[in-house]
Amino acid sequence: MTSATDAERAAAEAEAAAQARKTSPRSDLWQSLGWIALGIATTIGSLRMDRLEKQDINPYTVPGLLPGLLGAAIVFFGALMLFRSWRRLAKAPHVPHPRTEADRAEARRMWTVLALCIGFAGGLVGHGLPFWAAAAAFVTVTIGLLQFAERSAKNQRLRGLAFSLAVGLGAGIVITLVFQEFFLVRLP
């Protein structure tokens, strides 16, 4: 009988761990509303872009077509997420979700990445630095910050800095070349 109770206990622990990893329906609801708002803003921004009709541009190559489609896809998937969270809320209106240290670390990483993205878009791009340098700085700092704790624990800070710098420089150069030479987009 001991093995049966051990198996039951292990199954109960696995179920509790799986339940702890699930996002709460309220969290999904708020996140879905954020995705829908982002998708709507992206779609509106793409619709406001110049269509270049006076230059006889093919309608399938107009600026804003791909961002508009991506914005619509984000709205669609955000709506699916909203529907799922709505159904989950109907089944269990209030499920307490205690925040663990892993949840707090994940939230810190998310806010760090959001701040870096806003800083890149609002502070680096178009404000003096060439695009390749701004992109390289963004990628280098992002990788360095997100891997700092792991690299520090392994006593590999210098190796981590070299890695993030190499990837950042490579990404900045490749992104610039691809957009300027392949897509023929002038970057700021």
Side-chain angles (χ1 to χ4, degrees):
M1 271 205 210
T2 308
S3 63
T5 56
D6 288 343
E8 290 171 0
R9 186 177 312 124
E13 288 174 4
E15 176 65 28
Q19 196 67 8
R21 283 192 303 269
K22 283 185 181 177
T23 59
S24 73
R26 288 192 194 289
S27 173
D28 272 357
L29 177 77
W30 289 110
Q31 289 177 24
S32 68
L33 292 174
W35 283 113
I36 290 170
L38 176 67
I40 289 171
T42 303
T43 304
I44 289 171
S46 72
L47 291 173
R48 296 182 68 200
M49 290 180 79
D50 187 13
R51 297 282 163 234
L52 306 175
E53 298 98 0
K54 294 176 184 168
Q55 296 178 4
D56 294 325
I57 298 293
N58 183 335
Y60 297 113
T61 61
V62 298
L65 180 63
L66 181 61
L69 293 173
L70 291 174
I74 291 171
V75 170
F76 174 74
F77 288 114
L80 288 179
M81 190 175 174
L82 177 69
F83 178 70
R84 181 186 74 174
S85 66
W86 198 276
R87 283 186 32 211
R88 285 177 62 201
L89 273 171
K91 290 179 184 175
H94 182 65
V95 178
H97 182 68
R99 292 189 44 105
T100 63
E101 183 56 38
D103 291 337
R104 286 188 282 279
E106 183 178 335
R108 278 192 303 272
R109 288 173 66 92
M110 190 259 318
W111 287 112
T112 299
V113 169
L114 183 62
L116 287 169
C117 289
I118 291 171
F120 174 68
L124 288 179
V125 176
H127 294 292
L129 278 178
F131 184 83
W132 71 268
F138 169 74
V139 172
T140 300
V141 170
T142 302
I143 291 172
L145 282 176
L146 294 179
Q147 290 187 347
F148 183 76
E150 179 184 343
R151 296 285 186 174
S152 293
K154 294 178 181 177
N155 201 17
Q156 297 177 342
R157 286 189 203 120
L158 189 58
R159 185 176 182 182
L161 176 63
F163 174 78
S164 63
L165 189 59
V167 171
L169 283 173
I173 292 168
V174 168
I175 290 167
T176 302
L177 288 176
V178 166
F179 273 89
Q180 287 185 348
E181 302 301 323
F182 184 69
F183 294 122
L184 304 175
V185 174
R186 277 197 55 209
L187 297 172

